[in-house]
């Protein structure tokens, strides 16, 4: 983990409210593992000292990029920034996904909205190709499809309004796939909490392993403030673990969801 002020190399709007930001960070980029994140302080946002966490989308040579959605104050200020401007980052953070080795189970990647950003490096570095299930509210929320296809992955799209791909939730085609061939599959998911919980239920129903990247609000990002804790099984009971350090990726079987005891 390195804390650095780095320079914006490129910044473009990808679609609707989504932006891609490329940073020059030669000391950070080579360290990045799939599913890890960067904690970003938007320097022009004077009143907001808090950093914002973003999955590392791509890492090449001495650069890495993030793919983000403009949703509030921090991302609004970020969207105004231009190439050449400095950004303070702490990265790479978190544990990341376990990359499936060649000849292992077929990886089924499940992504909701900006969850796609956490999946690209996993797909790129996995010698074992599989299927990416991408879901979003509308067609504009479906990102990176061609990037995944270019890596040799099959992509199945769902939108809640039916404007692209199959109409419905991303877990519907996933369930169909598990009904067809659950044995020998392994799930990896990143997206909103209700989606992760639904993936976890399917993993349990079909007895397949699943790694989930949890979407918890964060403050320090480095294990100090405990703002990001989730409940994780421990023997007969449970304990709190920090999404920013022990996670954000957790084994679905270990998570104690809201309302469970
Ligand atoms: C490990 C991790 C990886 C992430 N990766 C990405 C990514 O690759 N791309 C991306 O666009 N976003 C990602 N996020 C979410 C991103 O951190 C938030 O969208 C961002 O912090 C919002 O900042 P803001 O100041 O613009 O919004 P705020 O003004 O703080 O909030 C605006 C709205 O966004 C919601 N929000 C804030 N934080 C989160 C969050 N963690 N999850 C869901 N909703 C949130 C708030 O509840 C509110 O409704 C990630 C979050 C985590 C924890
Ligand atoms: S965000 Fe502070 S401990 Fe995780």
């Amino acid at each position: 983990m390195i804390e650095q002020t780095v320079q914006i190399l490129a910044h473009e709007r990808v679609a609707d409210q989504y932006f891609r930001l490329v940073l020059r960070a030669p000391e950070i980029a080579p360290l990045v593992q799939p599913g890890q994140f960067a904690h970003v302080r938007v320097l022009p946002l004077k009143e907001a000292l808090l950093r914002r966490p973003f999955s590392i989308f791509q890492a090449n040579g001495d650069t890495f990029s993030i793919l983000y959605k403009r949703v509030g104050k921090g991302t609004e200020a970020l969207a105004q920034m231009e190439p050449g401007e400095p950004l303070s980052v702490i990265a790479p953070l978190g544990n990341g996904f376990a990359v499936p080795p060649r000849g292992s189970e077929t990886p089924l990647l499940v992504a909701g909205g900006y969850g796609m950003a956490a999946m690209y490096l996993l797909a790129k570095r996995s010698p074992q190709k599989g299927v990416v299930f991408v879901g979003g509210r509308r067609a504009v929320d479906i990102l990176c499809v061609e990037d995944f296809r270019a890596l040799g992955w099959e992509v199945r799209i769902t939108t809640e309004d039916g404007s692209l791909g199959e109409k419905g939730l991303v877990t519907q085609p996933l369930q169909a796939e598990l009904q067809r061939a659950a044995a020998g599959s392994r799930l990896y998911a990143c997206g909103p909490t209700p989606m992760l919980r639904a993936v976890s239920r399917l993993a349990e129903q079909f007895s397949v392993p699943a790694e989930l990247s949890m979407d918890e609000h964060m403050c320090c990002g480095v294990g100090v403030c405990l703002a990001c804790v989730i409940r994780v099984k421990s023997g007969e009971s449970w304990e709190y673990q920090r999404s920013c350090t022990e996670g954000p990726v957790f084994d679905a079987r270990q998570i104690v969801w809201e309302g469970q005891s």
Side-chain angles (χ1 to χ4, degrees):
M1 156 184 100
I2 297 174
E3 180 174 1
Q4 252 182 7
T5 298
V6 297
Q7 197 189 36
I8 299 176
L9 267 191
H11 196 187
E12 54 171 3
R13 191 185 199 130
V14 179
D16 193 47
Q17 299 300 319
Y18 295 92
F19 297 78
R20 179 166 173 265
L21 181 77
V22 185
L23 298 167
R24 190 176 174 279
E27 287 159 50
I28 295 172
L31 305 178
V32 174
Q33 299 300 319
Q36 289 190 300
F37 66 96
H39 214 23
V40 175
R41 177 176 290 160
V42 185
L43 298 170
L45 195 65
K46 293 282 185 292
E47 79 277 19
L49 290 176
L50 277 187
R51 294 173 179 273
R52 267 63 172 178
F54 300 101
S55 301
I56 296 180
F57 172 47
Q58 294 176 336
N60 289 315
D62 59 3
T63 69
F64 77 86
S65 63
I66 61 171
L67 183 66
Y68 69 93
K69 183 176 186 183
R70 183 164 58 187
V71 293
K73 258 191 184 174
T75 45
E76 173 61 44
L78 190 58
Q80 308 300 322
M81 295 188 73
E82 309 238 340
E85 288 192 82
L87 206 57
S88 166
V89 298
I90 308 178
L93 292 173
N95 57 355
F97 294 108
V99 178
R102 193 178 299 283
S104 61
E105 298 115 327
T106 304
L108 304 180
L109 277 46
V110 193
Y114 62 70
M116 288 299 282
M119 293 297 179
Y120 181 81
L121 265 186
L122 178 62
K124 187 168 180 191
R125 298 210 183 151
S126 169
Q128 188 80 8
K129 306 292 176 212
V131 185
V132 191
F133 296 85
V134 199
R137 292 223 169 96
R138 306 163 298 153
V140 287
D141 298 308
I142 304 299
L143 308 167
C144 314
V145 170
E146 290 315 316
D147 296 313
F148 282 96
R149 289 194 176 131
L151 295 176
W153 287 66
E154 182 185 340
V155 181
R156 300 206 197 141
I157 302 168
T158 43
T159 48
E160 288 173 35
D161 68 357
S163 52
L164 193 67
E166 192 180 320
K167 186 173 193 296
L169 298 174
V170 69
T171 41
Q172 292 163 357
L174 174 65
Q175 179 166 6
E177 178 63 23
L178 290 172
Q179 271 158 353
R180 198 186 65 77
S185 300
R186 187 180 186 90
L187 307 182
Y188 300 83
C190 185
T193 304
M195 184 205 94
L196 295 176
R197 193 163 182 176
V199 171
S200 170
R201 282 200 194 100
L202 288 175
E204 190 180 351
Q205 184 187 338
F206 290 94
S207 304
V208 290
E211 294 182 24
L212 310 181
S213 178
M214 300 299 283
D215 188 16
E216 293 300 314
H217 286 222
M218 290 183 183
C219 289
C220 72
V222 292
V224 178
C225 73
L226 306 185
C228 64
V229 292
I230 66 161
R231 292 188 302 160
V232 172
K233 285 179 191 152
S234 170
E236 293 299 297
S237 183
W238 55 265
E239 62 182 16
Y240 284 118
Q241 288 194 4
R242 296 158 296 184
S243 279
C244 63
T245 47
E246 281 90 19
V249 178
F250 292 89
D251 180 334
R253 286 167 299 198
Q254 297 304 314
I255 297 169
V256 182
W257 298 94
E258 201 69 45
Q260 289 181 335
S261 53

